[in-house]
Amino acid sequence: MAFLLASPGLTTLPYHFAAFAALLGFALLAFAYRQLPTARWNSEWLFLALAGCTVLVWRWPALFWTYPFNIDEGAFVACALKATRDLAPWRGFDAGSSGPLNPDVLALPALFGADITFFSTRLIGICLLIAAIYALYYIAKWTEGDDVARLAIVPPVTFFAFTRARDFLQYSSEQLPIFLTTIALAATVYLATRARTKRSRLIACAVSGLALGSVGFAKLQALPVALAILVFLVAVIVIRGRSTSRADTWAQLGTLVVMLGLVPGLIALSLWKTGEWQYAIEFYLGSAATYVAGGERIGPGFLFASVASYTIFLVCALVVIVVIAIALRGRSISAARSSISVVWAFGFLVVYLFVIYLPGRAFPHYLLLSILPFSYCVASVLGLALKAGFGKGRQLLVAGGIVAWFVIPPLGFALASPNQYFLYFFSEPPLPVDDRVVAIAHYAPPGERVAIWGWMPHFHVLTQTIMATRDHQTGGPMLPGPGQARARERYLSALRASPPPVFVDAVAPGSFGYKDRATQGYQTFPELAAFINENYVLKEDVEGIRIFVAKKR
């Protein structure tokens, strides 16, 4: 498999051989592992390895796409680059409503001397999703059994492997919360079903508490999910406490409280030391509340009409759920535990859907939050059906049908939809040279501090330069409003305190968000214009992007 680590230009034959080999092995072990030779020994690790390999191999070409899939992806990587210089949240960088943990995670390659790029960022995102899929597997295993657990992760594996939508290929702010909440839920289910010793119970509480305490600093939008899991976890501790000692129960609750407050405590300590309390409250909590308040009503059609690959996944999941529900009519359900798991599976799905609709924005990447909940609902109703005798004597046929149902439609759609990112990987066609990036790189070598006026954070990524301020975009000081004066004061103070060698006015027709130089250019901020004109000289005007270099330099 070493050839998969090749650069773009890899021939299609070895790639597709590896991709289909991983998919075939994963599909076979998903439904027929008892009939395969591997059933003689523990095939679980092989199955999980093939699941992860299937996602990674099919997604591999998209990792090499040079440019951001979404403007947010550029912002995350730019903040991660800045985190290598100043890790303090909201002082070194402001990642918006996603919180500081996303850039922190994306900055991990720097610990090993590797570059922080779109490639490393997307690879980290895929690893987070694969880890969440593994957690879903164990949730299903501990509640529904091995057979259902293998089928439970077929829908998310095929969705994440075959999707070619930009919103799902990018690193988005949902991937870290998906990982954290699914890990927390897995630890809670382990505590409820498998933890037999005091040590294992404390470890489960610690893992769940640490993950839940981190969610609010990964994405505020996911806090209701974290709260629901926390309530579930406390209920498990209290109920299990009836069969253990009171000291054991209090030890679990104490461990949970300590680990729940660990990340918030460290961030609070940082804010106290850096004096950024007011900024964090105003621009993280306050702006998030304003963001939600400014949303619009979104109908149920958002789930079905946003992205074709998601619609295929959703329809497949709903068809299985409805068919099983119809098949179970009139059957006596004796497995009370399975019935309960169905109730809480759909309960958590409702919470996730609430979180998706809460901001009132029809952003397709929000739908990522629902992939694992829908998949577990499929697993829970399937487990209930098997315990009720559905498909008795034909388990292999039923399992094979489930696997084929979640593999063939998304695979067929993916193969029938040519994608420029995959074509670039295979044939290495010349991409248009971005003269703006070339010009910035000419004056700012990698590692140089650069201030960018506008909303083009990926310029930092493509040139490997560092944000001169904590802002990855300058909408605050640029746009009229009640907070504009304070935002301008903060921005200009940061530039005056440590003038960067290069200043770029990225307000231009080809830019994202802000395109009108006359009404949004740096000169519309008189104090900033005076500072730039006094300390910088205009070197180039490339496609509307103005590049200034410090006179002292």
Side-chain angles (χ1 to χ4, degrees):
M1 304 292 284
F3 59 83
L4 288 177
L5 299 178
S7 61
L10 178 69
T11 58
T12 60
L13 183 59
Y15 170 79
H16 283 106
F17 174 79
F20 280 100
L23 175 63
L24 179 61
F26 167 71
L28 286 174
L29 286 178
F31 76 94
Y33 75 100
R34 295 187 187 277
Q35 285 72 35
L36 298 175
T38 54
R40 298 175 184 175
W41 51 281
N42 188 355
S43 62
E44 183 175 68
W45 291 107
L46 176 61
F47 172 70
L48 293 177
L50 286 172
C53 191
T54 299
V55 175
L56 183 60
V57 174
W58 283 88
R59 290 282 285 266
W60 192 260
L63 301 185
F64 289 91
W65 183 249
T66 305
Y67 299 105
F69 290 125
N70 183 291
I71 195 67
D72 291 343
E73 190 177 43
F76 288 136
V77 188
C79 289
L81 288 166
K82 182 63 180 297
T84 63
R85 301 294 181 88
D86 189 350
L87 190 61
W90 292 290
R91 183 187 69 181
F93 57 89
D94 180 359
S97 62
S98 73
L101 292 187
N102 277 292
D104 291 344
V105 169
L106 299 183
L108 289 176
L111 296 177
F112 307 97
D115 293 333
I116 301 171
T117 63
F118 287 125
F119 173 84
S120 69
T121 295
R122 293 164 191 158
L123 182 59
I124 290 173
I126 290 177
C127 290
L128 290 173
L129 291 176
I130 291 174
I133 290 172
Y134 290 165
L136 173 65
Y137 170 82
Y138 283 104
I139 291 173
K141 177 181 177 179
W142 295 329
T143 58
E144 309 297 340
D146 290 348
D147 294 341
V148 174
R150 291 172 184 268
L151 298 175
I153 66 172
V154 172
V157 165
T158 55
F159 172 81
F160 288 123
F162 301 146
T163 184
R164 294 185 176 182
R166 294 167 66 97
D167 283 277
F168 303 141
L169 293 176
Q170 65 161 331
Y171 179 90
S172 70
S173 58
E174 288 74 33
Q175 290 170 356
L176 182 56
I178 288 172
F179 166 78
L180 292 172
T181 54
T182 313
I183 290 295
L185 188 55
T188 303
V189 172
Y190 176 79
L191 177 66
T193 61
R194 287 294 191 276
R196 297 290 182 262
T197 65
K198 181 178 180 179
R199 182 167 178 255
S200 63
R201 289 191 289 269
L202 293 179
I203 291 176
C205 291
V207 170
S208 188
L210 180 61
L212 293 177
S214 303
V215 170
F217 300 99
K219 190 175 182 68
L220 276 175
Q221 184 180 345
L223 272 178
V225 176
L227 179 60
I229 296 174
L230 179 61
V231 171
F232 183 39
L233 173 58
V234 172
V236 169
I237 293 175
V238 173
I239 293 173
R240 284 185 61 89
R242 298 171 183 174
S243 59
T244 61
S245 66
R246 180 175 298 181
D248 191 13
T249 301
W250 282 109
Q252 294 175 50
L253 291 173
T255 301
L256 172 62
V257 170
V258 170
M259 299 306 293
L260 194 66
L262 181 60
V263 171
L266 292 174
I267 291 178
L269 179 62
S270 173
L271 293 175
W272 175 65
K273 296 291 288 185
T274 59
E276 297 292 347
W277 274 107
Q278 181 179 353
Y279 183 90
I281 293 173
E282 179 179 350
F283 283 86
Y284 190 48
L285 300 180
S287 62
T290 303
Y291 182 77
V292 172
E296 301 177 354
R297 184 181 297 276
I298 301 175
F302 172 51
L303 292 175
F304 294 92
S306 296
V307 180
S309 58
Y310 179 83
T311 301
I312 292 172
F313 161 82
L314 181 61
V315 170
C316 288
L318 292 178
V319 166
V320 171
I321 292 172
V322 171
V323 168
I324 293 178
I326 294 174
L328 287 177
R329 286 193 310 169
R331 291 176 179 262
S332 60
I333 308 297
S334 59
R337 181 173 172 180
S338 293
S339 302
I340 293 174
S341 70
V342 170
V343 172
W344 71 260
F346 280 90
F348 273 109
L349 174 61
V350 170
V351 177
Y352 276 96
L353 292 178
F354 168 76
V355 163
I356 291 172
Y357 278 86
L358 177 63
R361 263 75 172 187
F363 294 150
H365 56 85
Y366 286 174
L367 297 174
L368 285 173
L369 292 166
S370 69
I371 300 297
L372 299 187
F374 269 119
S375 299
Y376 185 70
C377 285
V378 171
S380 64
V381 297
L382 182 59
L384 185 63
L386 294 177
K387 291 181 175 63
F390 176 75
K392 188 175 183 180
R394 299 188 297 272
Q395 289 87 344
L396 183 63
L397 181 62
V398 171
I402 294 290
V403 171
W405 180 244
F406 283 103
V407 170
I408 294 176
L411 176 60
F413 179 79
L415 295 179
S417 306
N419 189 292
Q420 59 179 324
Y421 318 122
F422 290 75
L423 295 176
Y424 165 73
F425 180 78
F426 290 133
S427 60
E428 201 172 6
L431 289 174
V433 176
D434 194 329
D435 294 330
R436 303 167 300 175
V437 174
V438 173
I440 295 172
H442 176 71
Y443 298 101
E448 188 73 274
R449 294 171 58 251
V450 175
I452 297 180
W453 178 263
W455 199 349
M456 296 293 284
H458 53 279
F459 281 169
H460 288 293
V461 185
L462 299 176
T463 59
Q464 288 291 287
T465 53
I466 307 299
M467 296 190 307
T469 68
R470 59 186 156 199
D471 307 292
H472 62 80
Q473 58 101 353
T474 57
M478 183 185 297
L479 302 179
Q484 183 187 42
R486 294 169 62 187
R488 286 187 167 186
E489 180 184 357
R490 288 190 182 98
Y491 183 78
L492 189 56
S493 297
L495 291 183
R496 285 172 172 166
S498 183
V502 177
F503 176 88
V504 177
D505 183 355
V507 177
S511 295
F512 180 85
Y514 309 124
K515 307 174 185 292
D516 189 353
R517 177 187 291 187
T519 60
Q520 299 169 327
Y522 85 100
Q523 75 282 351
T524 60
F525 180 1
E527 292 82 2
L528 174 63
F531 174 77
I532 297 301
N533 295 336
E534 179 182 354
N535 297 281
Y536 293 80
V537 59
L538 177 63
K539 286 292 186 179
E540 285 196 52
D541 189 327
V542 184
E543 300 180 13
I545 302 296
R546 291 178 284 186
I547 303 173
F548 298 83
V549 176
K551 293 179 179 179
K552 292 182 179 180
R553 181 179 176 186

